[in-house]
Each structure stands twice: as structure tokens, then as C-alpha cells.
Amino acid sequence: MAAYRALLVEAFTAEPLQGNGAGVVLLEEPAEAPWMQAVAASLRQSETAFLWCDPSDSWRLRWFTPSCEVPLCGHATLAATLGLHHWGLMEAGAELPLATRSGGLPVAVSTGQPPLVSLTLPSGELMPEPEAPPQLTALLGDTPLAYWSSALGYRVALMADGFPLADLAMDCGALQGQDRQGLVVMQAAAATTPSLAGEPCDYQLRFFAPGLGIDEDPVTGSAHALVAPWWMEHLQRSTIRGWQPSWRRGGMLSEAVTPGFVRLSGTGHLLWDGQIHAPGCGHDGEGWAVCSSS
């Protein structure tokens, strides 16, 4: 029976049993999408990353939730990067481009302990909407200060400082329209928000995506990459720290790089390392992006 190296990383945290869990599977050939989808459904993480090194020694990466493929995932990219480093396939201190459906994503691992992973993600653009849908306001129990759509497909709601974000009990089944595909609820950091690497955080958010098969994603790199530029402009800073007070908490540092891109940095905890035994992956080069510069 075919066996593939696999591991599970808890991303954007140095604490065991916190952060956002992601499976990582190392392939020897480009697998078919239905097989990868079935593996992701069995692993039951919010996302599972699949890595394949093509004949030109370029690494390609795809991400699957338990129910669908997604075009971008920050925490599973961090997990994939730590996986390559753990397997001896990526040297510390060197930058490596990963080819994805969102373009070439540069990643790097530091030489420290625990190693710090940096990844450059597209940030998209927040597009102001006149107001939040009435049904969303009812679910939140308060009116957002601002509400945006985005090219990534996520909607973003900014709440007042006193809004009880950490205690929000979102009825994800009642989310409607585009909010179901990805809803970021954010606010400025509170006095009770934990620090990150000894420094205070600047903002906090939670992320809900029942339309992607994830009621709540614990620590979401793509969501932070989307909203970090707004907080940088709002706070007049090029480096900020974001926190996610979910049931599995964690956070990350965001830095401005080139227009339209944000560098996220965070740590991860290796929870398990082993093999999966799942025959029938097939051989399908379709859908595996060619690496391009971001």
C-alpha cells in the first residue's frame, strides 16, 4: 500500500494544542484533486497542504479544507514550510518560492529555536460597502463601525473597542450570502489581549467560514494578510501584531513589503510526524500551478 510522509503542525503558536492545525502531505508525483480532497476530509483539519517537487526542482503547493480546495491559506503554508525544513528539504536562512494558485509565495525559516517562519502573502484590497447586512448586525448584536468586501471573497466587519469579540458566540449556520464564505470580525486590541513575543498586539480578529466547511478557523493567515494593511495605515506603522482570540488562540507579526503583499511571521508546533497509507492518488498535473514571481 502506498505511504506518504505526513505531519500535523499547529501554526502561529509556540504552545502545544493551540494555534491552527494543518496537515501536510509530501507527494512524489502530482496527485488528483479528488484523492487530495478525500485525504483532507479524513485528516479533518481546517486545511491540509499538499507539496510536490516538480522535475525542475520547483516546489508546488495546494490547500484543501475537508470540503473544498481554497486559493490561499496562510497557516497551512507555514505548516508546509516547517514540514520541508523538518524533512531536511529546506535550509534555514534560505528563501524558497512555493508555486500556488495565488502565485509564487516566498517562504523562509530562521535559524533560531523555535524556528520563525516568514511567508509573503497577497493582501488583496478592502472595498467599502454602504453598510453591513441587517442579518449580520443581528447575529453580532451590534452595528459594525465599517464593513468591507474584498477580492479574496472575505467580508470584514470592524467593531467598536468595547465589543466582546473573544466571547462572541457566532451562529455560523445563520450566516448568509458572501459572509458564509469568509467573515472577519475585528477590532483594536483590548487591555486583556495577550502579548506576542513580549510585545503588545495592535488588533484582534476572529474568522468564520461555514461556506468553506469551517465554522471558525482558529488563527487565519489569509485573514490577517487581508486586514493588516488597513491597520498599518490606521496606526501609521509598517509593522503590526495581530491576535486571534479563538478557542485555539495564536497570533502573528505582519510587515509591509511590496504593494499588495504582506509578510507574516510566526512559529509553529509539530504535533505529530509519520505516514499516511492511502492508495490511488493517481497522476494528474492539472491544477498544479507553475511557479511565478510574486
Side-chain angles (χ1 to χ4, degrees), residues 281-293:
C281 77
H283 186 287
D284 184 6
E286 297 296 324
W288 288 91
V290 176
C291 191
S292 61
S293 173

Side-chain angles (χ1 to χ4, degrees), residues 171-188:
D171 181 1
C172 292
L175 283 173
Q176 299 180 23
Q178 193 61 42
D179 290 329
R180 290 186 57 81
Q181 298 303 116
L183 173 66
V184 180
V185 184
M186 66 178 186
Q187 67 181 168

Side-chain angles (χ1 to χ4, degrees), residues 103-117:
L105 304 183
V107 298
V109 181
S110 74
T111 57
Q113 288 297 328
L116 186 71
V117 177

